[in-house]
Amino acid sequence: MLSYGFMQLALVAAVLVGLTAPTVGVYLVQRRLSLIGDGLGHVALLGVAVGVVTRNDPVVSALLVAVAGTLGVELLRSRRSAGADVALAVLFYGGIAGAVVAVTRAPAGTPANLDAYLFGALTTTTRADLAAFAGMALVVLAGTVGLGRQLFTVALDEEHATAGGLPVLRLNLLLAVVTASTVVLSMRVLGLLLISALMVLPAGCAQLVARSFRSSMVVAVLVGVTVSVTGTVVSFYADTPSGATIVLAAIAVYLLLSVARAAGAGRARPARPTYAVPPGREAPWTPRGAEEMLAP
């Protein structure tokens, strides 16, 4: 398998996505925004369609549209208005509807097949794609890991984070941007319809076994990389779509951990999946409290 150049590139791309997506997912799951990646996939598809129709780079146009869409989502969410849910639905479904219409209006001779972006085309990854993926992965990791303490505090309780002096809106907008970047980074590997799975499932696996936020991040990344590589290898030998195979591998791990936890519930101490502050401890936005909550 490794004797094929396209598989070498595919494995590296899979590792980058498996490493990056779960670091975003742990914050989304904690904030109960697990399906935001799916909605942004619809928005990013409009960017892909615009890029295809105008014969520009679909990755660049998808990134621009996804970032604009996710900033709009975050601003709507921060206002907590009664019509925010409807507005989000309009944004998400308008994205996919706009993409379909845009593709039908493509000039004759334009290669307007969106299947590779909808369902992934990992084995078509080029060296140029890989360089772009690596750059986006570094940006995402710089945000999710470098600002992990602040993002975690905001994800846990925005009101107390505000009281503690953190720039909550700016941190939320930063998380929105890195989420959009992860969606675009993952679309060639998993496809826009399956992106959310690699954000959410490894984070869900981590919540089943981890006892702190820091260990949850580590477990989620390990699961993400493992299922990405495993799914890519299996798809090569089984001749199955790589994106769908990776997601099925992630589901299998989640189900196995769920069964193991249920079987050992009476013998082992249960994990604290919501990272609630135990009685008597300081709130997590203080230095001492943050250290306790982020301890391994």
Side-chain angles (χ1 to χ4, degrees):
M1 180 185 71
L2 293 178
S3 61
Y4 295 100
F6 71 91
M7 283 305 300
Q8 296 173 10
L9 295 175
L11 284 170
V12 175
V15 169
L16 287 175
V17 173
L19 179 67
T20 305
T23 67
V24 177
V26 290
Y27 300 109
L28 299 181
V29 170
Q30 176 64 22
R31 296 173 62 180
R32 294 178 175 84
L33 295 174
S34 299
L35 296 180
I36 192 71
D38 187 49
L40 287 178
H42 295 168
V43 177
L45 184 62
L46 175 59
V48 171
V50 171
V52 169
V53 171
T54 60
R55 301 188 179 182
N56 293 315
D57 188 349
V59 174
V60 174
S61 59
L63 180 61
L64 294 175
V65 173
V67 167
T70 192
L71 290 178
V73 168
E74 186 54 42
L75 291 174
L76 285 171
R77 193 192 66 82
S78 65
R79 293 182 179 181
R80 305 178 189 277
S81 62
D85 289 345
V86 176
L88 294 181
V90 170
L91 180 65
F92 292 157
Y93 296 118
I96 196 167
V100 173
V101 171
V103 169
T104 62
R105 304 300 298 174
T110 301
N113 187 358
L114 299 181
D115 287 352
Y117 299 99
L118 284 170
F119 306 107
L122 180 57
T123 54
T124 64
T125 303
T126 64
R127 293 187 182 276
D129 291 334
L130 203 58
F133 293 167
M136 282 192 286
L138 287 175
V139 171
V140 171
L141 291 173
T144 56
V145 178
L147 296 174
R149 189 181 305 280
Q150 294 91 329
L151 290 174
F152 164 68
T153 303
V154 173
L156 190 66
D157 194 318
E158 289 189 4
E159 293 183 0
H160 287 121
T162 302
L166 289 178
V168 172
L169 180 59
R170 280 184 285 175
L171 288 169
N172 283 337
L173 293 177
L174 172 65
L175 181 61
V177 171
V178 297
T179 302
S181 301
T182 305
V183 167
V184 176
L185 169 67
S186 308
M187 69 181 181
R188 290 293 296 274
V189 176
L190 293 173
L192 292 171
L193 297 182
L194 296 173
I195 284 173
S196 205
L198 201 59
M199 291 184 184
V200 173
L201 289 172
C205 292
Q207 286 193 341
L208 293 174
V209 298
R211 297 179 184 273
S212 72
F213 183 78
R214 182 175 294 166
S215 60
S216 179
M217 178 77 79
V218 173
V219 172
V221 168
L222 289 175
V223 172
V225 172
T226 300
V227 299
S228 296
V229 173
T230 301
T232 303
V233 173
V234 170
S235 70
F236 175 79
Y237 289 107
D239 193 23
T240 56
S242 55
T245 308
I246 291 171
V247 171
L248 289 176
I251 292 174
V253 172
Y254 181 80
L255 292 177
L256 287 173
L257 290 177
S258 298
V259 171
R261 182 183 179 184
R267 300 189 300 272
R269 177 187 173 187
R272 296 196 304 271
T274 56
Y275 317 109
V277 182
R281 291 192 180 183
E282 296 183 40
W285 58 90
T286 64
R288 180 183 171 190
E291 289 296 330
E292 290 184 353
M293 295 299 292
L294 295 171

